[in-house]
Structures are given as structure tokens and as C-alpha cells.
Amino acid sequence: MTATRGDWMKLDPKARVRQFRALVLLSLRIAPVSYREIELGDLRPGLYSNDERNAAGSAIARTLVLLSPSGLRAISDAQTDEGNPTVGAGVTDTGVVVTIVVVALAAVCALAAVYLGAHAAVRINFDDEVTRRLLSAQAMAIQVLTLHVERERAVGQELPFSEEERSLLMRLEDDQRRLATMQGRPLPSPFEGAREFAREATRVATSMTTLALVLVGAYFLAQTKEVMNHGGKR
């Protein structure tokens, strides 16, 4: 709820770190978009049955990558206890060892999660409007996907996304594109084989269809006028 409302700055620093770390962990947990048990931090294309589910998981994971610096590398697993300092070596981007939760360091997203958890108090500008909007969209997408996965777990099989669910995930991806543009970099890939929602082709096809209909309509209108003009002359 803190992320959804953007109320980060109303929390004391320790509570803010604790809640942000929880959001990071929830992101890692739901990113596989699976009702089966998946090891935390395990993200790969083979987990997803189709490109749309891959795009959904990629959107959840990408937020962590966007909020982290590039060039992360693994040192080892690490562990934290709520808002307390971390224990163990985790990830570094400048030679400074940083730490957070125990994860399987198997994807860029997992590395970003370790880094963000350690730097939550100083790395993230929780008062920035774009960051607040992105974290709000992230929280709502996590909530929606969690409920979706619970429904799948109840029936024991995958269920298609509803239009509302897909719209929310695409909104998250749009917020990510906005932040990536502000950062002056392309939309990052949180793991090898990560997908984006296929909208451009649909948009182009729709535009071409609309243009074709307009041209056809204009043609028939011109033909009708020509017939009427010829009829008037007779």
C-alpha cells in the first residue's frame, strides 16, 4: 500500500528500507508468473509457456534493473533481517561490496535485487515523481499477478490474462519506458530471452487498417459524386 500510494517519505528511514526490501522480494517471487514453486531469483525463458507470460514476468523484473546501475557483478549470496544492516558479500558495481537477501544470482534482475536491497536508503529517490509512479505501478502489477497465480494454483493450470490485467502490465512497461528514456538508455532486459509486450505491430496494423478504410471511403465518395455530376449534366 505504501508503494501504491507513493507514501515512502512518510515512513521513517528504517521502515522505508524494510518495506522497499519487501517489495524487491515480492518482485523476485512473482516474476516467474508460475503457480509452481520456483527458486527465488531463477528467471529464464523456459519458465514461461508463451511470450505474453514472459513479457509479464519481464515487466516485473525490469523495474529492479531500471532502478539499479549497469555493470553489476555477483560476489556471493547475502542476507538481511528487515531494515537492519546486511550480512555477507553480495553485488558490486564499483568495487564496493554491497549486500541484501539470499537469492540465486542467476539473472540481471537478481543482481539488481541484491544491490537495491543494500542501497534502498541512499540509492533510490523515493521523492521523485517518476520513481513513485513506477513503484506504484509495480506494486499494483504484483498484486494483480499474485491473485492471478493464486487462481491458477486453485485450478492447477495456467489461465489467460484478462484485458484489465494485461492493461495494467502494459502501463507498468510504459512507465519503465519513460524512466529508461529519461536515463538515456534502451529498455533493459532483466534476463536472457526477456520479452516485451507486442503492441507496436498491432498498433501499426490498426493504423494501416484505419488508413485503408479511409481511402476506400474516400474512393467511393468520389465515385458517387462523379456519378451524380454526370447524371446532372444529362
Side-chain angles (χ1 to χ4, degrees):
M1 293 305 298
T2 297
T4 301
R5 294 190 302 260
D7 289 343
W8 297 100
M9 300 308 294
K10 294 182 179 180
L11 304 175
D12 65 79
K14 189 171 183 177
R16 189 157 56 241
V17 170
R18 184 173 64 249
Q19 291 196 25
F20 181 75
R21 283 174 175 165
L23 186 67
V24 168
L25 279 174
L26 287 171
S27 298
L28 282 180
R29 178 58 67 196
I30 198 62
V33 196
S34 175
Y35 62 90
R36 301 178 178 87
E37 288 298 323
I38 306 294
E39 185 178 6
L40 188 66
D42 182 8
L43 297 174
R44 47 196 162 83
L47 293 175
Y48 306 98
S49 60
N50 55 57
D51 283 351
E52 185 166 76
R53 294 181 78 88
N54 182 312
S58 300
I60 293 293
R62 188 177 293 112
T63 293
L64 305 184
V65 181
L66 273 170
L67 295 176
S68 302
S70 58
L72 298 175
R73 66 185 179 90
I75 302 298
S76 69
D77 290 343
Q79 184 173 359
T80 65
D81 178 17
E82 295 192 336
N84 296 322
T86 51
V87 178
V91 175
T92 179
D93 68 323
T94 58
V96 179
V97 175
V98 296
T99 52
I100 183 187
V101 291
V102 176
V103 294
L105 302 179
V108 177
C109 170
L111 299 180
V114 174
Y115 185 91
L116 284 175
H119 283 271
V122 294
R123 177 76 191 182
I124 306 301
N125 182 5
F126 293 99
D127 204 28
D128 175 66
E129 178 59 31
V130 176
T131 301
R132 287 204 311 269
R133 185 165 58 243
L134 176 60
L135 291 176
S136 175
Q138 178 83 355
M140 288 188 285
I142 288 173
Q143 184 178 26
V144 163
L145 282 183
T146 299
L147 293 174
H148 185 94
V149 169
E150 285 300 320
R151 288 194 297 271
E152 292 183 338
R153 186 171 288 118
V155 299
Q157 64 180 23
E158 291 186 356
L159 301 171
F161 294 135
S162 67
E163 285 301 316
E164 291 78 11
E165 290 170 334
R166 193 172 188 275
S167 176
L168 187 59
L169 289 164
M170 291 173 70
R171 174 199 157 185
L172 172 60
E173 194 175 90
D174 287 339
D175 287 339
Q176 292 169 344
R177 291 180 191 279
R178 187 175 297 108
L179 181 57
T181 299
M182 291 177 60
Q183 293 175 342
R185 61 167 166 165
L187 200 65
S189 179
F191 54 87
E192 185 178 355
R195 295 284 184 266
E196 299 169 25
F197 281 100
R199 291 172 294 183
E200 294 304 320
T202 302
R203 196 173 296 142
V204 170
T206 302
S207 299
M208 293 301 292
T209 301
T210 302
L211 177 60
L213 290 173
V214 170
L215 291 176
V216 169
Y219 171 78
F220 280 110
L221 181 60
Q223 291 298 310
T224 301
K225 287 183 177 180
E226 185 176 351
V227 170
M228 292 179 63
N229 288 338
H230 285 309
K233 290 179 180 179
R234 292 192 186 94

